[in-house]
Amino acid sequence: MDILANISFLIVAISFWLRDIIVLRSTLALACICAVGYQIGFANEANYTVIFWNSIFVLINVSRIYTLLKEKYSIQFTQREYDLWQNVFSDFSDVEFMRLMRTSTWQKIKEGSVITQDGEPCPSVFLIAEGEIQVSKQSRQIATLKTGQFVGEMSFAGDGLATADTLAVKDCMLVAWDQADLKRLIELHPGLVSKVHALLGKDMVEKLRQAA
């Protein structure tokens, strides 16, 4: 009855195409259970090392699944956060988005306030939740940023220095991430790396298109 062993390997192979971490861990746990079942019920001589380690892997995955589900179902969005998730962070899971929001702060910015100065340190990345921000380079206006666009993303991707002057031309509500905190977050959760950089990269491309 090698079929159970083959099913175990097939499930492991399928897991390489999975992206959702809960589904991935559930699939791996199922593969380990099949491997244990094969060793106990069908192998000519049970390999207790295989049984032991696959049982440990099942326990680890079940434990992590419980933790992830607990985190997932403890999430409660405000209406403002939910709108941001749907309109800007739609490629992020609810858990990933909440992790981002937990490291952010909301900031009210008055009309006429300077956000960044060209060549000066820019310690934060900002997302415009409401309002408009004017972007200038050498006293020449090059773009106007609106809801859903970022400020400071180029300094985040570069050397930490602002690449333009930015000024609030209306009262604004911004979501701010300290750059150091954001970098630590994506280091702790590698699944965020590609999504964060893709989102910021898309925003940079749009700015370059506007400036052209």
Side-chain angles (χ1 to χ4, degrees), residues 190-207:
L192 285 172
V193 176
S194 60
K195 292 183 179 180
V196 168
H197 285 292
L199 182 63
L200 297 181
K202 180 180 178 182
D203 190 72
M204 284 189 274
V205 169
E206 178 60 22
K207 288 190 179 72

Side-chain angles (χ1 to χ4, degrees), residues 44-104:
N44 292 329
E45 184 176 348
N47 186 324
Y48 290 100
T49 299
V50 172
I51 293 172
F52 173 78
W53 283 109
N54 276 281
S55 298
I56 293 295
F57 297 151
V58 170
L59 290 174
I60 291 171
N61 279 299
V62 168
S63 173
R64 288 298 298 143
I65 290 166
Y66 171 78
T67 301
L68 290 166
L69 286 173
K70 185 178 178 181
E71 183 179 33
K72 180 180 179 67
Y73 289 107
S74 67
I75 291 172
Q76 291 184 332
F77 293 131
T78 65
Q79 186 59 50
R80 190 162 57 179
E81 289 170 340
Y82 182 80
D83 291 342
L84 272 183
W85 180 37
Q86 293 296 301
N87 296 325
V88 181
F89 296 90
S90 57
D91 288 337
F92 292 67
S93 71
D94 50 0
V95 173
E96 290 170 333
F97 175 64
M98 186 51 67
R99 284 173 178 159
L100 280 174
M101 295 309 296
R102 285 173 180 166
T103 62
S104 70

